[in-house]
Amino acid sequence: GKKDTAAKPKVGIITNCVDPFWDLCEAGANKAAKDFDVELVFNQPKSGDGDIQKPVIDAWVSQGFSGIGVSVIKPKEQTDDLKLVAKKSVLVTMDNDAPDSGRVCYVGVDNKEAGRAVGRLVKKALPNGGTVALFIGSVTSANGQARPAGVLEELATPDKNGLAGRHPSRPELSGKFYGNYFLVDGEPKIDDMVKEKAASNAQAMLSRLDGVPDVCMVGLYAYNPPSILEAVRSKNLVGKVKIVGFDENQETLKAIADGHIEGTVVQDPYNYGYKTVEVLAAEARGDKTKRVAGSAPYQVITRDGGPDQTINSLHIKFPKAGDYLTAMREQLASVKR
Amino acid sequence: MTTPRVTAAAVSKRFPGVVALDRVSLTLAPGEVLAVVGENGAGKSTLMKILAGVYQPDEGAVELDGRPVRFAGPAEATAAGVVLIHQELNLAENLTVADNLFLGREVTAGGKLLVLNNRVMTERAAALLARVGLPADRVTRRVETLPPGEKQLVEIARALGTAVRVLIMDEPTSSLTQRETERLYEVIDALRRDGVSVLYISHRLAEVKRCADRVTVLRDGKNAGELARADVTHDNMVRLMVGRDMKSFYPKVHRSGTGGKPVLSLAGLRYRNGPDTPVSLDVRAGEILGMAGLVGAGRTELAEAVFGVRQLAAGSLTLDGRPLTVKSPADAIRAGVFLVPEDRRLHGLVTAESVGFNLSLPNLDRLRSRFGLHRRAEAALHATWIEKLRVKTPSAAQTVGLLSGGNQQKVVYGKWLARGPRVLVLDEPTRGVDVGAKAEIYALVDELAGRGVAVWMITSDMEELLGMSDRVVVMHEGHLAGELAGAAVTEEAVMRLATGGEAG
Amino acid sequence: MMRILGVLGLLAALYAGLVGTYVDNAPGFEPASRTQERIQGNLIDVASIQGRYGVITLGAALVIITGGIDLSIGAVVGFSAVLFGVLTERGVHPFVALPLVVACGGFVGWVNGLLITRLKLQPFLVTLCGMFVYRGAARLLAGTVSRTATVEAQPDFAGSLQFLRYVLVGKDSTGELQFPAQFVVLLVLAAVVGFFLHRSAYGRYWFAIGHNELAAKYAGVNVDRQRAWVYVVCSALAGLAGVLLFLDSAYVQADSGGQYLELYAILGAVLGGCSLRGGEGTAVGMVLGAMVLPVLENLVTIRGLKSDLIPTVIGLTLLAGTILDEFIRRRQRARH
Amino acid sequence: MMRILGVLGLLAALYAGLVGTYVDNAPGFEPASRTQERIQGNLIDVASIQGRYGVITLGAALVIITGGIDLSIGAVVGFSAVLFGVLTERGVHPFVALPLVVACGGFVGWVNGLLITRLKLQPFLVTLCGMFVYRGAARLLAGTVSRTATVEAQPDFAGSLQFLRYVLVGKDSTGELQFPAQFVVLLVLAAVVGFFLHRSAYGRYWFAIGHNELAAKYAGVNVDRQRAWVYVVCSALAGLAGVLLFLDSAYVQADSGGQYLELYAILGAVLGGCSLRGGEGTAVGMVLGAMVLPVLENLVTIRGLKSDLIPTVIGLTLLAGTILDEFIRRRQRARH
Ligand SMILES: Nc1ncnc2c1ncn2[C@@H]1O[C@H](COP(=O)(O)OP(=O)(O)OP(=O)(O)O)[C@@H](O)[C@H]1O
Ligand SMILES: Nc1ncnc2c1ncn2[C@@H]1O[C@H](COP(=O)(O)OP(=O)(O)OP(=O)(O)O)[C@@H](O)[C@H]1O
Ligand SMILES: O[C@@H]1[C@@H](O)[C@H](O)OC[C@H]1O
Ligand SMILES: [Mg+2]
Ligand SMILES: [Mg+2]
């Protein structure tokens, strides 16, 4: 029999992978679904075939979902497909944008900008320059390209912007210079999102850099900073090797509070979820006022925090790791898994 | 004199640790049936495989119609008209009989696509099957659903379907009963008339006498002699094969012959997916109960049911007067009921493992020690049974699959004798076993029976049945057609019962 | 025959579930014709994916029939998609690149086949190494490829690419899926495979090799050559599937394009009645087997299952299907 | 014996390459003792990973010896790690949780075994479904788990967790890797497995089943029970490996913990001399086989290979090793 579900619009959110990051987002989205009275389906697809998202989105469209939120993986390439979605439903991009897709708005940070913030943390950790290693899951997705690019842009100086060379004190290491910083191997070390590989990558890097002073290891996907820290611990180098991270992994935040990681740049995924559903719910009822403009501000987390700043015309907060962790747990607890 | 069809001149073949053939020669005239006999491991199969291109000789030469040939593989030999029917079945059992008959030489519409012409093949298949006495309805059956004897006939029909000029049959009758064997003789006679040369290997010397124009004997990989048609007698063959005379082929030394109390009793037994007719019979202490029947009469299946391979559907088993529950071979073995299976490579042996491994396998529970297995006791077990059964093997570590058929069979006996049977079920007990080893096995079985072991011997070999049995039961289409004892056990009586006639 | 009943039952149940979900969830005000339209649209989407799965399933199944296995399928799909992208981006005309990529797939299969038949290496191992090698090769070629990148670099190719896309994938120039062309491709290929498997001598060879290699050899079948050929076909089909993936997708990433597809292909083949012991399988079964996973995945999506639940539900359903299949077979066997 | 020579050669080459890299790259001013120290530190890192791989390789190898296959290993590792985390977080003492998780692994194996032996389903299929199911089960239990989360929830357990961590993983309370305890665990388990495989009746049964299941049955071996047991052992070892993973890692993510490990375990078993046709394998070979991939991965990482090159190099090296192995075996066979 047919149900009279006309009253409750259906909306869907699809992410780009499975991750605790997205659990936070799901928590926010669920909250908003309750607040704004919509039926929500939240899908964290397992990565695999090129188009992991499309079949799900198509199915939702065919079911008449009134709005769909997508964490875009490859903006330019996905634009055409997303245009079709935007024609049949309301599209909001989040976490990664596809500006020309016909989406009503984008909820998320600018990954390049956020990468620059990471670069500034590196500079803070090694004010006089040093050796840097980048770790990331993949460099094929948009965020996987934007983040390292941001970091290196921030470190670079006009004369030393990717200048190939050998490590000053360890000539067997080749790499590239960005300002006063030497990037080992000249590229981020990739782990293909296999967490155990992330750990062994970090461990092997430490083994190669054994004895090198002023090292900073940078983890750009959520699981990278904890993996790096674990490796650093296993070599008894905590404090000696600096770590800078990305995203609000609980382990990362705890380690920052303990002073083992310098800091991380976070995106507030809870709000991604909340805001996206809020917009979709409003749109379903013809309300266009909830749309957001521009990209959201990232936040920079360190042990001691700091006053707000305006950077590149974004209002950036600098919370303390402990406070942020507490807030985050409350968000997670607000929704039972 | 005409050119011989086939000549093998001083052919040698060595395997790691074994000289299988040592300068063996042989000639075969057009239209001649030459039997090759010899003990297990004498090198018969190896020689045949060389003739048929499966192996290449290390030394020596092979000629076909006077021209030297060296086949790179069986396909080349077949193309030249030399076809080998292997000792072990080699069928693609997942395909139909027709598919197998034409495998590798399908009738196609021509061209590269090899589109099958099934109509023609079906017709020809039926004709081929008719030649070996198989009904036409077998054409579309999957081979795996056929009993072993029929599979063997399919192999033969397959060979007949080629443009064969030299047909080599390596123990073609080992799983055939007398009726099918007779049929095969007719086929051979027809081939002979058509000028086809036949090489025929058999351990059933009566058969050799029946159909060979000439006999060549191999011993230990060497030529041991040749017998012209007139000289082909049992004793002559045996003397050349084993190098001495052999008396008392079917011993009844240890048995009283009357049989004691029933040891194993089947009462109204039926098994799952078996015939509807229940079977009741007793196997008595100290006797050899022979069981006869045609191919597919259901003897093997009945034995498997008793051994726990097939689930019982009705009736009961009794061992020494006590009810016996058998759900798996392990249960049967625990009770002392052992089976020497019909197909030793499939059911009897782990052929890839060693002689010792196989001898130990059912006896491991007795070789257990606190630290794993009793190595010394195990070695002693191997030594004992290799010696007692005179298994021809370099050592207990030799891979069983590399032994000759007869020696493999002895290993199967060894693993059960080492355990001490209460009831020994023998399904085709001397299949592929040479005369010498047969005699040894018969003596062994006689001795066992003499010690009170109940022996149930299923056999398609009429000589063996008549020679060894104290009592004979005959199966026909799944039920017991009758029982014969004493003087009533004659070839005619057995055949009459086996084919559905009344006991005389 | 009976091997097909189980998978048919499973498919029937899944499709019934799918249609049922639509009907149950249809808003009260919606006319039945609209619901039907939506169901149809969804089924076309599913068929499209089934088509591509089916193409690789055919190849995997042939390999399985001869008693082999190919774990490199997914990597070859990814590699081929990337290769097609790179070639066209660098100016090779799509109509030339397509056969080239398929041939390249065939070459990969030939290497697999040689290693397996000549050096007598274990197929599992060879193709597992292949999985690393071809995945790596794709990465060396490019990070990502896409139609947009190709068209940007070679504006002339836009038309031909769109033509291929329409013919092989069924998408019009806006990217809208008009008809499940990939399923049509599958049906055509399945007919060809079915012809060779069931109507030509080659099929007999493959079945015989799978069940008893020695018997085939003694019957004069050139076992090595036949086995190598089957690997060639399998990888060539994976190559074609790579092109389909490229044409269908917004983009293909070298590090993950086609991931897991070997497992899905093997799964499809086995569900469709191939035995991993070799010697069993039918073309119809392969198509049906390949249809299962996409419709199952679609069903769980349509029902709005929590993503954490999805793997479990999929695993259990497949298992249930397998058990059902086994029971049907036993029934049938007992009856005979 | 000869089966081991190939993998030994491969390992020797890899280790030589590793040491060579360090020596070549040692800065001029560095004393030799320092270089040696660094090499040693790296070898310990590698051994630690080898240990965990080895544990699952043992299980995979036993299954392979009996002619089966287990694709669910990686999912069971992930599931077990998550289960251990969830249990301890909720107040189950680590000393209790450890055997519980291992038992749970064993139970999973028992289910696999039952489905395979009783319902006569194909192991590939059953364990592939299992891969979905157990991965999903982990996700349903929790998103992530970690020692820190457990200790936060159960401060009392800190000491016992640290004890386990030291004994099983070799990390002290600061997290420093003191010795490759996981490798020690592997050696102990390999000794046990080796005892059962080569010195007890069970091993004989497993080999017999792997070579010829029917012959084993006709010799009175309870084939079903033995096969089921082997699956139990395999999954129980995967359970243990899950606990090791938990203790060794910063945190474990339910969706991906242990990913691909089934392939690596099978690879290790096969490199170590197991044949996927069943009936072949040695405990020493399993350990050696499991050592290959970690040292190879370490070597390419240490040499600073471009990430895009790594999969290709790994695949080709493994292939080369396999070919080497095959040649050695042929030589040996010809010599006899
Ligand atoms: N592939 C092989 N590898 C090693 N040894 C072999 C091989 N094939 C045969 N042999 C050995 O060569 C010898 C001759 O074997 P062959 O099979 O020719 O004997 P046969 O006369 O056919 O015996 P049977 O009557 O038992 O069939 C035997 O000792 C056998 O063990
Ligand atoms: N006339 C027949 N045609 C086809 N199949 C038959 C026929 N008779 C019996 N069978 C099959 O053979 C099986 C019984 O064979 P079984 O092996 O038990 O007989 P057997 O008396 O031991 O004969 P064999 O000499 O072949 O071993 C039955 O399951 C049946 O399927
Ligand atoms: O896109 C997400 C990214 O922003 C975050 O860093 O990690 C999880 C990803 O899915
Ligand atoms: Mg022979
Ligand atoms: Mg029989």
Side-chain angles (χ1 to χ4, degrees):
Chain A
K2 293 182 178 183
K3 268 186 278 174
D4 189 32
T5 44
K8 228 181 185 187
K10 276 192 207 155
V11 303
I13 291 183
I14 182 151
T15 70
N16 54 11
C17 67
V18 186
D19 197 275
F21 177 91
W22 291 119
D23 291 344
L24 272 169
C25 180
E26 189 167 353
N30 282 333
K31 176 81 176 15
K34 236 178 262 150
D35 289 356
F36 305 108
D37 196 34
V38 290
E39 206 180 312
L40 168 74
V41 179
F42 195 99
N43 193 311
Q44 300 188 33
K46 178 133 198 68
S47 68
D49 207 336
D51 261 338
I52 43 167
Q53 298 174 326
K54 185 129 195 321
V56 177
I57 297 174
D58 285 346
W60 286 344
V61 169
S62 87
Q63 278 181 296
F65 276 38
S66 70
I68 292 170
V70 180
S71 161
V72 182
I73 301 171
K74 297 285 288 180
K76 199 167 81 194
E77 290 79 359
Q78 279 175 277
T79 294
D80 282 351
D81 285 342
L82 291 175
K83 274 186 190 158
L84 288 177
V85 178
K87 256 195 257 163
K88 297 176 187 163
S89 182
V90 174
L91 177 68
V92 169
T93 56
M94 51 156 216
D95 178 55
N96 262 320
D97 194 13
D100 307 324
S101 59
R103 43 86 171 159
V104 297
C105 68
Y106 167 59
V107 180
V109 305
D110 177 335
N111 273 296
K112 184 87 161 283
E113 274 302 316
R116 298 191 69 126
V118 173
R120 286 191 290 275
L121 283 173
V122 173
K123 280 182 174 165
K124 201 175 117 199
L126 302 177
N128 303 318
T131 306
V132 175
L134 298 186
F135 298 89
I136 197 164
S138 141
V139 289
T140 47
S141 63
N143 60 17
Q145 280 165 354
R147 283 176 205 167
V151 176
L152 297 174
E153 206 172 285
E154 184 65 33
L155 298 181
T157 53
D159 56 324
K160 286 185 187 167
N161 185 4
L163 181 69
R166 305 222 148 240
H167 192 277
S169 64
R170 295 291 288 280
E172 82 273 9
L173 297 173
S174 61
K176 287 180 181 164
F177 287 96
Y178 292 87
N180 287 333
Y181 300 86
F182 177 81
L183 175 67
V184 183
D185 291 338
E187 60 169 21
K189 306 311 286 184
I190 294 168
D191 53 55
D192 295 320
M193 330 265 219
V194 178
K195 276 55 174 192
E196 288 160 271
K197 187 128 172 266
S200 63
N201 272 353
Q203 210 161 25
M205 181 62 77
L206 286 171
S207 183
R208 294 167 77 195
L209 295 180
D210 190 13
V212 176
D214 298 330
V215 173
C216 182
M217 313 244 289
V218 183
L220 291 175
Y221 271 9
Y223 54 84
N224 288 121
S227 306
I228 295 170
L229 176 60
E230 186 66 28
V232 168
R233 282 188 176 133
S234 80
K235 300 259 173 205
N236 197 15
L237 291 169
V238 178
K240 289 181 208 123
V241 166
K242 308 286 182 205
I243 305 170
V244 170
F246 201 95
D247 280 338
E248 48 269 77
N249 187 294
Q250 298 208 27
E251 305 300 320
T252 307
L253 295 174
K254 278 183 249 176
I256 295 174
D258 292 344
H260 296 162
I261 293 181
E262 301 306 305
T264 189
V265 174
V266 301
Q267 315 183 60
D268 198 2
Y270 182 91
N271 262 325
Y272 284 8
Y274 192 90
K275 192 67 206 166
T276 301
V277 172
E278 183 182 359
V279 174
L280 293 175
E283 297 285 332
R285 300 183 172 102
D287 171 5
K288 304 191 172 171
T289 62
K290 299 291 180 200
R291 299 178 183 180
V292 293
S295 52
Y298 53 85
Q299 300 179 46
V300 180
I301 303 207
T302 51
R303 185 171 68 176
D304 303 322
D308 295 4
Q309 295 177 29
T310 300
I311 303 172
N312 292 338
S313 67
L314 283 171
H315 183 81
I316 306 299
K317 289 191 195 148
F318 287 78
K320 286 187 190 167
D323 298 346
Y324 194 86
L325 184 59
T326 314
M328 199 173 99
R329 287 184 169 166
E330 273 162 20
Q331 292 172 345
L332 270 178
S334 69
V335 186
K336 8 182 231 297
R337 280 191 55 85
Chain B
M1 212 187 103
T2 51
T3 347
R5 177 66 50 82
V6 178
T7 319
V11 170
S12 296
K13 181 74 184 174
R14 280 174 292 275
F15 294 111
V18 185
V19 180
L21 292 176
D22 183 9
R23 281 170 292 136
V24 170
S25 301
L26 156 162
T27 58
L28 177 65
E32 184 186 28
V33 177
L34 173 65
V36 180
V37 298
E39 291 188 282
N40 293 126
K44 304 180 294 294
S45 296
T46 306
L47 180 59
M48 300 306 126
K49 285 181 183 168
I50 284 175
L51 295 179
V54 177
Y55 294 153
Q56 283 68 44
D58 294 338
E59 282 146 33
V62 177
E63 287 178 8
L64 186 64
D65 296 320
R67 277 184 303 276
V69 286
R70 196 178 170 89
F71 301 126
E76 279 183 19
T78 307
V82 182
V83 181
L84 168 63
I85 300 173
H86 286 264
Q87 186 169 4
E88 312 295 342
L89 290 172
N90 269 301
L91 296 167
E93 305 214 344
N94 56 333
L95 298 179
T96 64
V97 169
D99 291 341
N100 271 281
L101 290 177
F102 293 97
L103 186 62
R105 41 185 199 85
E106 288 77 3
V107 180
T108 63
K112 281 244 169 214
L113 287 183
L114 304 190
V115 184
L116 297 171
N117 189 336
N118 283 317
R119 198 181 44 79
V120 171
M121 283 193 285
T122 310
E123 277 170 26
R124 290 196 197 161
L128 283 174
L129 291 187
R131 279 177 75 183
V132 296
L134 280 176
D137 71 356
R138 297 293 190 278
V139 169
T140 53
R141 287 263 296 265
R142 273 165 78 104
V143 169
E144 63 196 358
T145 65
L146 302 181
E150 294 197 357
K151 290 179 190 167
Q152 183 72 61
L153 293 174
V154 172
E155 284 259 29
I156 294 166
R158 208 180 117 69
L160 297 180
T162 61
V164 58
R165 297 167 62 234
V166 180
L167 179 61
I168 307 175
M169 293 189 269
D170 196 348
E171 298 191 41
T173 56
S174 66
S175 55
L176 299 187
T177 56
Q178 197 156 3
R179 206 167 64 164
E180 292 93 26
T181 306
E182 279 301 333
R183 178 86 216 174
L184 183 63
Y185 296 156
E186 287 166 26
V187 174
I188 290 176
D189 288 339
L191 288 171
R192 179 177 5 216
R193 280 194 298 278
D194 293 345
V196 175
S197 306
V198 177
L199 271 167
Y200 189 96
I201 296 178
S202 180
H203 290 296
R204 296 184 184 172
L205 297 182
E207 284 178 7
V208 172
K209 247 179 346 196
R210 156 76 176 74
C211 73
D213 295 327
R214 197 155 55 91
V215 173
T216 194
V217 185
L218 295 186
R219 188 165 74 225
D220 290 334
K222 298 191 184 77
N223 286 97
E226 238 181 61
L227 298 167
R229 171 118 198 111
D231 303 328
V232 179
T233 64
H234 188 276
D235 289 348
N236 281 345
M237 284 190 280
V238 170
R239 197 173 313 112
L240 286 176
M241 280 164 71
V242 296
R244 62 189 155 86
D245 283 318
M246 272 182 46
K247 299 265 164 353
S248 76
F249 205 66
Y250 298 110
K252 263 192 191 178
V253 186
H254 299 278
R255 282 170 290 165
S256 64
T258 49
K261 277 191 283 184
V263 177
L264 177 72
S265 304
L266 288 60
L269 209 67
R270 285 201 296 115
Y271 51 89
R272 202 178 291 168
N273 300 333
D276 297 329
T277 41
V279 172
S280 302
L281 63 83
D282 291 329
V283 192
R284 299 188 194 129
E287 80 164 351
I288 298 176
L289 171 69
M291 180 177 265
L294 297 182
V295 167
R299 298 165 297 170
T300 297
E301 289 189 358
L302 182 66
E304 284 175 347
V306 170
F307 191 57
V309 176
R310 291 170 189 277
Q311 301 301 314
L312 295 187
S316 63
L317 286 170
T318 321
L319 184 71
D320 286 326
R322 278 185 297 276
L324 172 67
T325 315
V326 172
K327 289 220 166 76
S328 70
D331 294 336
I333 291 165
R334 219 170 294 124
V337 179
F338 304 156
L339 172 71
V340 173
E342 181 176 18
D343 187 339
R344 66 175 164 261
R345 296 179 75 88
L346 193 60
H347 300 132
L349 294 168
V350 182
T351 50
E353 290 284 1
S354 68
V355 171
F357 183 101
N358 279 280
L359 286 174
S360 297
L361 192 56
N363 299 305
L364 291 171
D365 53 342
R366 304 191 166 175
L367 294 169
R368 239 175 233 166
S369 78
R370 190 130 51 96
F371 302 103
L373 294 170
H374 246 297
R375 289 274 158 161
R376 213 165 307 139
E378 189 182 14
L381 180 146
H382 297 168
T384 308
W385 292 100
I386 287 174
E387 206 209 286
K388 272 201 184 173
L389 297 173
R390 274 180 269 171
V391 179
K392 196 176 150 197
T393 173
S395 76
Q398 175 76 342
T399 306
V400 162
L402 298 182
L403 298 188
S404 72
N407 283 300
Q408 291 183 15
Q409 186 75 354
K410 287 186 191 171
V411 175
V412 181
Y413 279 92
K415 68 181 197 180
W416 292 133
L417 297 190
R419 202 179 167 86
R422 184 79 194 89
V423 177
L424 196 56
V425 185
L426 309 174
D427 195 353
E428 310 292 358
T430 58
R431 191 165 177 189
V433 173
D434 70 40
V435 268
K438 255 185 205 167
E440 288 167 17
I441 288 173
Y442 293 146
L444 202 94
V445 174
D446 175 53
E447 191 200 316
L448 284 172
R451 277 196 271 130
V453 173
V455 179
W456 167 8
M457 182 181 76
I458 298 168
T459 177
S460 303
D461 183 335
M462 187 62 77
E463 262 190 71
E464 175 171 281
L465 180 82
L466 301 180
M468 286 302 289
S469 312
D470 298 313
R471 193 158 59 94
V472 170
V473 290
V474 184
M475 280 193 87
H476 174 65
E477 292 182 353
H479 69 274
L480 280 187
E483 182 179 326
L484 304 164
V489 186
T490 63
E491 189 171 334
E492 296 72 36
V494 170
M495 281 317 284
R496 200 174 324 112
L497 288 170
T499 51
E502 290 296 305
Chain C
M1 179 53 220
M2 50 185 172
R3 248 335 213 149
I4 289 174
L5 282 181
V7 69
L8 263 182
L10 182 58
L11 276 176
L14 292 173
Y15 274 103
L18 206 56
V19 172
T21 307
Y22 271 92
V23 173
D24 283 355
N25 290 349
F29 55 80
E30 187 177 271
S33 66
R34 178 77 193 93
T35 311
Q36 203 178 317
E37 219 170 78
R38 294 202 285 119
I39 295 176
Q40 200 175 322
N42 183 51
L43 290 184
I44 290 179
D45 288 347
V46 173
S48 180
I49 302 172
Q50 287 171 328
R52 191 163 65 238
Y53 272 25
V55 170
I56 51 169
T57 302
L58 293 177
L62 289 182
V63 168
I64 289 172
I65 283 177
T66 61
I69 195 143
D70 189 349
L71 296 181
S72 66
I73 293 174
V76 174
V77 170
F79 169 76
S80 305
V82 171
L83 181 63
F84 186 82
V86 168
L87 286 177
T88 51
E89 205 177 318
R90 304 219 177 134
V92 178
H93 194 282
F95 292 172
V96 179
L98 171 60
L100 235 145
V101 169
V102 174
C104 218
F107 177 76
V108 161
W110 185 70
V111 172
N112 283 343
L114 277 194
L115 290 171
I116 291 163
T117 58
R118 288 301 143 103
L119 298 186
K120 307 272 173 247
L121 304 181
Q122 297 189 45
F124 197 98
L125 203 57
V126 168
T127 56
L128 183 58
C129 292
M131 176 168 148
F132 285 100
V133 174
Y134 308 126
R135 178 67 68 206
R139 288 169 67 155
L140 290 175
L141 276 178
T144 347
V145 292
S146 67
R147 265 171 303 111
T148 47
T150 292
V151 171
E152 223 165 76
Q154 310 285 343
D156 294 355
F157 292 171
S160 337
L161 266 183
Q162 179 45 42
F163 173 78
L164 283 182
R165 193 172 193 220
Y166 185 75
V167 172
L168 297 175
V169 176
K171 284 186 173 172
D172 67 13
S173 57
T174 68
E176 181 99 54
L177 184 62
Q178 300 289 344
F179 70 107
Q182 295 187 93
F183 202 86
V184 177
V185 171
L186 166 62
L187 290 181
V188 172
L189 289 173
V192 175
V193 165
F195 168 80
F196 277 101
L197 195 59
H198 301 300
R199 292 268 171 276
S200 93
Y202 298 110
R204 296 291 149 83
Y205 300 158
W206 302 336
F207 282 119
I209 290 170
H211 188 274
N212 185 345
E213 191 173 320
L214 204 58
K217 196 172 154 193
Y218 284 162
V221 176
N222 190 332
V223 172
D224 283 356
R225 187 188 304 153
Q226 291 303 321
R227 295 187 73 190
W229 259 112
V230 167
Y231 282 97
V232 169
V233 172
C234 176
S235 301
L237 287 173
L240 177 62
V243 178
L244 295 179
L245 179 68
F246 176 89
L247 293 171
D248 190 20
S249 311
Y251 62 95
V252 177
Q253 299 189 352
D255 53 8
S256 61
Q259 218 182 349
Y260 302 119
L261 283 189
E262 60 283 343
L263 287 185
Y264 298 164
I266 296 171
L267 182 68
V270 174
L271 286 174
C274 295
S275 156
L276 286 160
R277 281 176 287 274
E280 307 279 340
T282 60
V284 176
M286 296 169 199
V287 173
L288 295 176
M291 288 172 69
V292 172
L293 197 59
V295 61
L296 176 53
E297 284 190 325
N298 182 258
L299 179 59
V300 296
T301 308
I302 292 288
R303 297 200 70 99
L305 238 60
K306 280 223 148 259
S307 17
D308 286 345
L309 252 175
I310 290 179
T312 314
V313 170
I314 289 184
L316 290 177
T317 312
L318 292 176
L319 201 56
T322 315
I323 294 174
L324 170 79
D325 184 68
E326 180 60 26
F327 272 111
I328 291 183
R329 282 201 297 149
R330 284 203 198 168
R331 263 282 168 79
Q332 295 258 1
R333 220 183 285 142
R335 201 172 295 162
H336 281 294
Chain D
M1 179 54 220
M2 52 185 172
R3 251 331 215 152
I4 288 173
L5 282 181
V7 69
L8 262 183
L10 182 58
L11 276 177
L14 292 173
Y15 273 103
L18 205 56
V19 172
T21 307
Y22 270 94
V23 173
D24 285 354
N25 290 349
F29 56 81
E30 189 177 87
S33 66
R34 180 79 193 89
T35 312
Q36 204 180 318
E37 212 178 289
R38 293 203 287 125
I39 294 176
Q40 201 176 321
N42 183 51
L43 290 185
I44 290 179
D45 289 351
V46 174
S48 181
I49 301 172
Q50 287 170 327
R52 191 163 65 238
Y53 271 25
V55 170
I56 51 168
T57 302
L58 292 177
L62 290 182
V63 167
I64 290 173
I65 283 176
T66 61
I69 196 142
D70 188 349
L71 296 181
S72 67
I73 293 175
V76 173
V77 170
F79 170 76
S80 305
V82 171
L83 181 63
F84 186 82
V86 168
L87 286 177
T88 51
E89 204 177 320
R90 305 218 176 135
V92 178
H93 194 282
F95 293 172
V96 179
L98 172 60
L100 237 145
V101 170
V102 174
C104 219
F107 177 78
V108 161
W110 185 70
V111 172
N112 282 344
L114 277 194
L115 290 170
I116 291 163
T117 58
R118 287 301 142 103
L119 298 186
K120 308 270 173 249
L121 305 181
Q122 298 189 45
F124 196 98
L125 204 57
V126 167
T127 58
L128 183 58
C129 292
M131 175 169 149
F132 286 99
V133 174
Y134 307 127
R135 179 66 68 205
R139 285 173 67 168
L140 290 175
L141 273 178
T144 58
V145 291
S146 70
R147 267 169 302 114
T148 51
T150 292
V151 170
E152 223 165 79
Q154 312 286 341
D156 294 354
F157 291 172
S160 338
L161 266 183
Q162 180 45 43
F163 174 79
L164 284 182
R165 195 172 188 223
Y166 185 75
V167 172
L168 296 176
V169 177
K171 285 184 173 175
D172 68 13
S173 59
T174 68
E176 179 164 3
L177 184 60
Q178 301 285 348
F179 69 108
Q182 294 186 96
F183 202 85
V184 177
V185 171
L186 166 61
L187 290 182
V188 171
L189 289 173
V192 175
V193 164
F195 170 79
F196 277 99
L197 194 60
H198 301 300
R199 294 267 172 276
S200 88
Y202 299 108
R204 300 284 177 85
Y205 297 154
W206 301 336
F207 283 117
I209 291 169
H211 273 308
N212 185 344
E213 185 173 329
L214 281 173
K217 184 173 165 189
Y218 276 66
V221 178
N222 191 331
V223 172
D224 283 355
R225 187 189 304 155
Q226 291 302 323
R227 295 187 74 190
W229 260 112
V230 166
Y231 282 97
V232 169
V233 171
C234 176
S235 301
L237 287 173
L240 176 63
V243 177
L244 295 180
L245 180 66
F246 176 88
L247 292 172
D248 191 22
S249 313
Y251 75 112
V252 177
Q253 215 164 301
D255 66 291
S256 62
Q259 214 182 351
Y260 301 120
L261 284 190
E262 60 284 343
L263 286 184
Y264 298 165
I266 295 170
L267 182 67
V270 174
L271 287 175
C274 295
S275 155
L276 286 160
R277 282 176 288 272
E280 312 269 345
T282 60
V284 176
M286 295 168 199
V287 174
L288 295 176
M291 288 171 70
V292 172
L293 197 58
V295 61
L296 177 53
E297 283 193 324
N298 183 259
L299 178 59
V300 296
T301 317
I302 291 289
R303 295 196 72 100
L305 236 63
K306 285 238 162 243
S307 311
D308 286 342
L309 253 175
I310 289 180
T312 314
V313 171
I314 289 184
L316 290 177
T317 311
L318 292 176
L319 201 57
T322 314
I323 293 174
L324 170 78
D325 185 67
E326 180 61 26
F327 272 112
I328 291 183
R329 282 201 297 150
R330 283 203 198 168
R331 261 281 168 83
Q332 295 259 358
R333 221 183 285 140
R335 201 171 296 163
H336 283 294

